[in-house]
Amino acid sequence: GDVHTGGSISVPVPDGEYFCEKGDGGTPGVVSYQTGTPDFSSGSVSETDWLANTSFSRKKYEYFRQLLGISPDDEDSFDSFADIGDDIVYYSSNGVDINTGAGSFPAGKKAAILVNGNVNINDNISVPDGSFLAFIALGNIEVADSVSQINGVYITDSKFEAGTNETTALECYGTFIANSFEMEGRDLGETNETTPGVKFIYRPDLWLNAPKELLIPSYTWQELAP
């Protein structure tokens, strides 16, 4: 998938390896940055060298709060995946903990979860085909050291932290947007110098199943008096 950053990008890639590999479509994504000089060490950005210096903008927590119709005074409707029912929009005024044994998102459900705090992920999160899960957080999204795979859409105004693990990689399936990414703790260099500690794998089916509450028309029509 595509990778975009509002700042610079520096990732130590081993010689002969690529930062952005080919996906199921047969080609890698586009990597873009806004400031600085990209540095991929001895490796390359991709087989196609698709790298662009471009502008960058993104929607933040406050935008999604208003889009989803959430008031800061609303009562909490989400604490765990057991709360997911027929509603689409859920809210937590505090942090959310996805604890061990609670990582399976219900099949066939769609949920956009707005969190006015941190999201702590302590177990693998699977999202079945045909389902949709989005966490939109004001605080950090923190992945525990033992977690090896998460699925879904993750948006935060703050940091995405990949945890610390020197033997197990973290595979992230979906879309991930953050103010900054902290991934240094997932370093397999002691046991494997060619496998990345964190992998981001695009899941276009998530957006194909996205609820209408998160889909914005491309154009806004306005009738003006003559």
Side-chain angles (χ1 to χ4, degrees):
D2 299 334
V3 179
H4 305 286
T5 173
S8 60
I9 183 168
S10 177
V11 183
V13 178
D15 184 36
E17 301 291 333
Y18 300 105
F19 169 70
C20 191
E21 297 181 347
K22 289 183 179 180
D24 292 338
T27 59
V30 176
V31 179
S32 70
Y33 65 99
Q34 188 172 351
T35 63
T37 301
D39 181 6
F40 301 101
S41 188
S42 300
S44 304
V45 58
S46 66
E47 288 187 39
T48 55
D49 290 327
W50 287 347
L51 179 66
N53 183 197
T54 184
S55 60
F56 178 83
S57 63
R58 67 183 177 92
K59 301 296 190 291
K60 295 188 176 183
Y61 175 86
E62 183 62 21
Y63 168 85
F64 287 104
R65 184 188 69 76
Q66 297 184 40
L67 174 67
L68 298 174
I70 296 294
S71 167
D73 298 326
D74 284 355
E75 294 184 0
D76 289 9
S77 55
F78 180 84
D79 184 61
S80 71
F81 289 150
D83 296 327
I84 301 298
D86 294 330
D87 293 332
I88 299 295
V89 179
Y90 296 84
Y91 175 64
S92 174
S93 60
N94 298 300
V96 164
D97 293 319
I98 303 300
N99 292 317
T100 303
S104 295
F105 186 75
K109 298 297 184 179
K110 300 181 180 183
I113 304 166
L114 199 77
V115 182
N116 188 19
N118 295 340
V119 177
N120 300 308
I121 302 173
N122 302 306
D123 193 13
N124 289 1
I125 295 180
S126 60
V127 179
D129 293 344
S131 302
F132 178 87
L133 168 65
F135 277 109
I136 303 168
L138 181 63
N140 298 332
I141 295 178
E142 302 178 3
V143 181
D145 303 346
S146 59
V147 173
S148 60
Q149 185 181 122
I150 58 176
N151 287 255
V153 176
Y154 297 82
I155 302 172
T156 171
D157 280 18
S158 303
K159 294 184 296 184
F160 178 91
E161 300 183 20
T164 300
N165 197 315
E166 296 180 353
T167 59
T168 303
L170 173 64
E171 295 184 338
C172 304
Y173 291 83
T175 299
F176 298 80
I177 302 172
N179 188 55
S180 64
F181 286 82
E182 292 191 2
M183 301 184 290
E184 294 85 354
R186 291 273 180 166
D187 185 356
L188 310 185
E190 293 294 326
T191 57
N192 188 328
E193 294 184 350
T194 59
T195 300
V198 183
K199 280 188 176 182
F200 292 94
I201 301 98
Y202 188 40
R203 270 193 63 176
D205 66 294
L206 287 173
W207 287 111
L208 291 174
N209 291 308
K212 66 181 188 313
E213 285 81 357
L214 284 176
L215 300 179
I216 308 301
S218 299
Y219 299 95
T220 300
W221 295 96
Q222 183 177 11
E223 185 175 353
L224 301 175

